[in-house]
Structures are given as structure tokens and as C-alpha cells.
Amino acid sequence: MIFTHLRVHQIFGANTDVGKTIFATILSLANATQGKRVFYLKPVSTGAPWDADDTHVKKYRPKGALISTKCLIQMDEPVSPHLAARSAKKVISDDLLLRQVREHLIECSKDMHISGDLDAAYLETAGGVLSPVPSGTTQADAYRPLRHPVVLVGDSKLGGISTTLSAYEALNSRGYDINSVVMFVNDRYRNHQYLEEWFASRGIKLLAFDPPPPPPPGRNHTKDEMNMKEYYAHTSTTANATSLIDHLDGCHSIRLSTLQSLPQRASRTLWYPFSQHKTITSQNDITVIDSAHGDFFTTTSIPTTTEPSQTLISGSQFDGSASWWTQGVGHSHSHLTATAAYASGRYGHVIFPKTAHEPAVSLAESLLHTQGKDWASRVFFSDNGSTGMEVALKMALRWTARLYDECSKDKRDFQVLGLSGSYHGDTIGAMDACEGGIYNSAVEWYKGRGFWLDPPTLGFEKRELRLRIPWSDESLVFDSLPDAYNIPDRQKTTMGELYRTYIQKEITKLVQNGTTFGALILEPLVLGAGGMKFVDPLFQAILVDVVRSMSGVLLPPRPKANESDPMPTLPVIFDEVFAGLGRLGFPSISPVLGVKPDIAVYAKLLTGGLVPLAATLASQHIFEAFLGDDKRSALLHGHSYTAYPVGCAVANTSLRLLQEMVRGESFRTAQMDWGIVAEPSQTYPATSYPPRTKPHQFACSLWSQRFVKELSDLPIIKRAMALGTVLAFELDDGFTVSGYSSTAAERLLSSLKTDTCAPPNEFSVHFRTLGDVGYLITSLTTEKPLIRRLEANLLHILEARSRRI
């Protein structure tokens, strides 16, 4: 939380008993001496109330000083907060704790000194940096969503250098700003001398203060209190104390000016992707993100008034696009950041050709045993989905070219077979593998190299899950989402035969017209950037089956010497950059379709959104197409950061988390909501679906069935669909421009960015649109109550708009 006229600092200690409360008192008194208002907050306290830290600050508050004290949660047993909560049988969640802190600080901001001076709030933690809060979460993690600047109290005792540096690293690795380190002078160990130089090299100011007087003999409380009053009166007015207050005030001012200058600086220097800069007409068109945690950004705005009640300039904004589809486990996940820190400390980056490091090998093995189970044998690493698709195209086209080379030396102009509305990335080769459209047709080098079939799609219309076929009057309504994804049963229907006949006819016609195909490319289940089109999985399954059964038409005759070998088939590429790794609720997609690819590409969720990385999986026969006696036969592709060890290590952790979530309680609850009898919680290999469970039984969404049906029934909605974490809806608002060029969704949903959901924990929604298609994507960790609030807010906005048309 960031206020203009209220500076908030969180006081962490390198250990217990390092003087956090004493320094909190010094800081409070030093501020009050300057005539400023001070708010001291102890979020959690254990032990007798008369001995509590807020009581200590209140005791030594001079008469008339503008110092307010507050303790939010008091538990009597003098033990760690998680033990005290357990003993008192109290359930105090992190959300509850943070909500109380937020509410208290907002009240403080409304009760500020009318002079307009910069007032201060100090939040004192309990124990050390990694000591637990009542829920058992470490303090550094529990308070991270607030990300208040830190005053770290160092340890002056023997061993204190180590504990202080460890505390700093724990906070720094979680994204906290440590504005200052304070500690007591200890002439014997002189920790402050070593640490002052160490922190100075990192631009952090350390100030050392004389320690308080020792307790007098004989438990003379009156004398002890008198000594402490004298100590505080003197210490709070020293040059060190004044310097510290000025430094903290300065840090706050620099933070404000930096954040408030970012829109103007960005508009002068940045060239945004997928953005028309002529539409950026004011600073409010640029969202300033101070930090991100879990499902939310912390965004800042420029205040429009100097009224105290309007001085909060930060807010929570739900990341509605999962940051361009990269987030699966939430921003700043502590397991991922810790893994990244370890790998960067162990490796940094190392060259990859003909070398091996444990993160890359382990990741390759994990991908082969999960996503590539029973079909893939090799993994090629690159840096993003588009590059991963370039690699996939090179692999597939080389394999097909080698087959033609055995029959003819003529150079072939290979085309790809795909689906209309597909998108495989922004690099030239990936663009050429897509049908001409707004993404690629304006690129001067674009040359569409293929043919793209119009796929049937699924979506809820007027509360019914309906199949639409663009080239047929046939239609179909499904009783449930799992029914639509039950490929084995649907293969036997007349719809399957309709698809098969259509595909065979189109391919035969194209080949007769001289088209030579080098690969089939599919985005399984959902065409992401093409408008969030939920393709009928039966159509994709039959397309793969038909392509493989038509080898005699699509590929040259086999040489007589090889006639005993298995019939070669056109390489099939699955672009799972968007749909893969659990985003759609399936542990893996290939079993859903009942067909296996020859090549598949994964990115985005692969590293949980922390660092760029992509992986292209290939079957053994694809790999063997690049074996030869000279280097020219090899796959001559790569980049400097191939198999980046930090990315590979993070991906290993990310995959483990994603696998746990897809099989976790949230998705089991969602399965029941969508009419699936979920298997009881059980242990089974991550490489497979649960025993006695068919893949289509995972067809569900974290978005509620009732909500999706209500959404589809609005006059303003053409279709709505949800699967896994993804919600998409096509708008029908009478706009003359449709497709990606439309601004319909952007206009209709604009209030999501400005309106906040109802208390507690108000937040707005950051979103991206695809022309006349709106969509929201959660992470796999987004909790049910939050999704229900998003549903209610979205319905409210769209219902209001529907009433006006």
C-alpha cells in the first residue's frame, strides 16, 4: 500500500531479541519530535498484554505526542504465533491478517495530521524474518502482498553478522525494498562496522545506535522505566535518529516520484507490443505496476486531490490475462523464486552444445515422462513459444524433405496443413505457418505457406453447449462438457463420419491441385490468439487420423527397398504453448484427443511465468532425420541462452506444482460442479490419469457452470465457453467491425479496470481482449471465492450493458 502523505515502513528483525520494539519506539519518538503524526501497529502479538510491544511504545510516548498504537491480534500464550493460534483454537488466515492491516492503514491515512506533513506508520513484526504468522506462513511470505519498504534491525550479538545477512537475503529474494538497516553498537563484536561497509556496497544505509541501559539490579522497575525514558529522550533526538527519519522520508519521496514519472518516461522511450501508440493519449492509458504477487498486480495512479482520504495511490488489480498466459501458479511464487536464486547462484548461464547440466537433463526427462509419454524421445530447448515452433517446423520439414529426397532430388515448396484462426508466434517462419490475418498479413515478408481448414467450434449459447460447423448446417447440443470431450464414444457417431468425409475431400482436392504438404500443425482444443475458439476435439482427432491414413496421397511412394518398413506419415505438430501443461484442466492433452503428435511445443506455463523458456519435444524418427556424416545434416538452430539453467531449474519446480494443482482439491470441486463424479483423492503417477478415470472426465472449469450458462444467456453475448482456467465470450453489440480489429470487448469491459469489486479487499481487473472476444484466465491456484467475485462483477457489467441495447 502506497500513500502520498503517509510513509509506511515494516520493521523486520534479523532474529528475535534484537531490539525491534526499541527501534520502533525510537523511530516513533523521532517522528513525533518533528511534530508529525505516527501510527504504530503490531499486527500479531503473543504473551501478556501488559508486556506487549504496543504497550511498550505507548508507555514511553511523551505527553501530547501524536503517536497512536494498535495491536490487531493478541494471544496470551508467549510462544510463536502459529503455536499460540493453535493453542487458542483460532483460525487466522493470511488473508484475514492482511485485510485487517490494510483496513487499519486506510483508517490511519484518513486520520492524518492536517498540516499535510509526511506522517509515518511503523508495522513491527514478531521474531525473525522467517518466523511464522498464526497460519504458519513465514512473515516474509505472509506480508509480501503488501510489500512495504523495510527497516531491518540487525543483530549485534555473536553470530549476528550471519543472521543479519541471512535476513537481508530472505527479504531481498522476495522483492522487498530494504531502505535502511539499524542496529546497536557492540564494542566487543563490532558487527556494525563490518555490516555498514557490506550494506553500503549495495546502496543501503546502516545506522548504529548506542544500546539501551541494562536493567538495574534487584528488579527495580521504577528505576528501569526512568532509565529508558532518559534513553529514548536522548536517542530519539540524536543526529543518527534525525538522519534516519530524513533518509526514510527521502526514500518515500523517491519511490513516489519514480512511480509517478513512469508513464511519461515510458511514453517517450518504449515501443509496446500489440499496441497502437496513437491510442495512448494520456498518462492514465499506461498502467504502472509496482509489483505483483499471487493473482494480483499492485498498481499505482497519480492522485487527483490532496485530500487525506484520497492519498492512497496504490491498488490491487487482478491479472485477468495471466500476464499474457504465462501465469499458472501465481506471481512471485516463493518456490519458483527460491529455485531461480539457487540456480543462478550455482550456474548463472553455461554454454549448452555438447554439455550437460542437471536442470536441463532433469527437465527433459520430466517432459518425456509426462507430456511426451509413449511417443517422444528428445527435447530441444529454446527461449519462447514462437521460437519453439520455428524449431518444430524445421524438424518436420526436414523429415518430410528427407523422404522426398529418397525419391527425387527436386526442391519442394512445402506447405503446412492447419486450422483457420491458428496462431503460432511472431517470428517469420511461425507467421508463414498461419493463415493471413491481422497479425501477419501486414508484415512485408509474410508469405502464407499452407492451407487452413475451418474448424467446428464449441460454446454455450442460451445456456446450451452447442457445436457449430462453419461449412455445414449440421449442429449438435451436448448434455454436458465431458460429453463433448468423450472422443471414444463420439467417434462412433455420424458427426465423426461427416468430419472424416469433409477432411478427406479437402486434402484430396489440394493434393490434386499440386499442393505438397510438409506437416500438419494444430493448437489442440483451443485456438488462443485466434479468438479463443474452442475447437471440437473430435474434429482434431479425426484430422490427425485422416492425415495419417492418407500417406499414400500426401507423401511420395516408398522406394522398393523400404517397402517392408512401417508406412511413413506426415509429421503432426501440436502447438501446446497456450493449451498445454494443465491450463485447460487436463494433465496432458494427447490422451484427450486419443492421438499422439510427432512433435510438440511447450512454453508460457513451463516456468510458471518467471523466466522465458520453451521446449520442443520430438519422436525418435524425427530425431533420426538429422543424423548424418557431416554437420550440415544436424539441426543447426540455437541461441546463446539455450537450456538456460535458471529457466530449466524453475521449470522443474513449476511442472511439479502444476501437476499437483491439476489433481488437487480445486479441480476435484470443479469436476463435481460440472457434473463429473470425481475420483477420491489418491496417489497416482504424475505421468498418467488416475486409475479408472477417462481423460474426458477431466473436462471441467474453475469458472462455475451456472455462471457460464448465465453469461451465455445475455443478449449481448453470442457465445461463452470455459475450460480449465480459461473463460471466453464473444460479444454481439451491433458493432460494424468484428474480429481482432474490433474494439467492442475493450469498450464494454473498460469499467473492469476502474471499478472495484465489493469489499473486503477491493480490486479492479486488468485484462486484454481479442477484438470482439473478451476473456479472463485464472492461475491454477486462484481460489474459488475470488473466482466467484470475478463472475459476479463481470455479470453485473454485462447485464447493465445488455439492458441498454
Side-chain angles (χ1 to χ4, degrees), residues 170-377:
L171 292 168
N172 185 65
S173 67
R174 286 167 171 79
Y176 285 94
D177 295 330
I178 293 86
N179 283 174
S180 183
V181 179
V182 295
M183 62 189 305
F184 294 128
V185 173
N186 186 313
D187 290 329
R188 180 178 182 184
Y189 301 119
R190 292 174 287 179
N191 293 353
H192 63 285
Q193 294 179 359
Y194 177 89
L195 290 171
E196 182 177 14
E197 183 177 345
W198 192 92
F199 281 110
S201 68
R202 288 152 179 81
I204 298 173
K205 185 171 186 174
L206 183 147
L207 290 168
F209 290 73
D210 288 335
R219 296 188 177 183
N220 189 333
H221 297 298
T222 302
K223 178 65 173 175
D224 185 38
E225 188 171 325
M226 184 183 303
N227 289 344
M228 288 303 297
K229 283 184 177 180
E230 292 177 357
Y231 171 78
Y232 282 132
H234 168 72
T235 306
S236 62
T237 57
T238 60
N240 261 7
T242 302
S243 174
L244 179 58
I245 297 299
D246 291 344
H247 175 69
L248 297 179
D249 287 350
C251 289
H252 179 75
S253 297
I254 291 171
R255 186 185 189 193
L256 285 183
S257 62
T258 298
L259 291 171
Q260 293 176 2
S261 70
L262 284 177
Q264 187 177 39
R265 290 161 58 194
S267 64
R268 289 199 308 259
T269 59
L270 299 182
W271 193 335
Y272 286 114
F274 293 99
S275 303
Q276 176 49 260
H277 275 253
K278 286 196 74 172
T279 64
I280 301 175
T281 59
S282 74
Q283 295 188 48
N284 291 330
D285 292 327
I286 297 175
T287 301
V288 176
I289 300 175
D290 177 65
S291 62
H293 188 274
D295 290 311
F296 292 93
F297 301 141
T298 297
T299 60
T300 61
S301 59
I302 300 174
T304 57
T305 175
T306 58
E307 290 295 320
S309 61
Q310 299 296 317
T311 62
L312 176 63
I313 66 165
S314 66
S316 293
Q317 198 167 60
F318 178 78
D319 181 6
S321 69
S323 279
W324 259 350
W325 319 342
T326 62
Q327 295 300 314
V329 298
H331 292 278
S332 307
H333 195 289
S334 60
H335 292 186
L336 299 187
T337 55
T339 299
Y342 168 78
S344 62
R346 179 178 174 183
Y347 296 102
H349 179 61
V350 295
I351 192 170
F352 194 59
K354 297 183 180 180
T355 69
H357 53 76
E358 189 272 335
V361 175
S362 293
L363 178 57
E365 291 172 340
S366 178
L367 287 169
L368 293 175
H369 292 161
T370 53
Q371 307 307 314
K373 186 183 180 185
D374 296 333
W375 68 267
S377 68

Side-chain angles (χ1 to χ4, degrees), residues 23-46:
F23 278 108
T25 307
I26 292 171
L27 285 165
S28 298
L29 294 175
N31 271 104
T33 299
Q34 298 178 5
K36 298 177 181 179
R37 188 74 184 260
V38 182
F39 303 91
Y40 170 86
L41 176 64
K42 183 77 173 184
V44 180
S45 179
T46 61

Side-chain angles (χ1 to χ4, degrees), residues 460-528:
F460 283 89
E461 302 174 21
K462 303 304 177 186
R463 298 180 178 267
E464 293 182 329
L465 179 57
R466 185 173 293 276
L467 172 68
R468 293 288 186 185
I469 306 174
W471 35 266
S472 173
D473 294 331
E474 295 281 344
S475 183
L476 185 64
V477 174
F478 295 96
D479 292 334
S480 69
L481 201 59
D483 285 348
Y485 289 87
N486 188 346
I487 304 303
D489 286 356
R490 291 188 60 205
Q491 288 270 16
K492 308 165 188 174
T493 64
T494 57
M495 190 63 68
E497 192 56 39
L498 176 69
Y499 289 167
R500 190 174 301 275
T501 302
Y502 165 77
I503 295 167
Q504 288 173 340
K505 179 181 176 181
E506 291 297 318
I507 290 176
T508 300
K509 181 173 61 176
L510 289 165
V511 173
Q512 288 175 348
N513 289 336
T515 303
T516 302
F517 288 105
L520 168 65
I521 306 180
L522 297 177
E523 288 180 85
L525 304 186
V526 180
L527 307 183

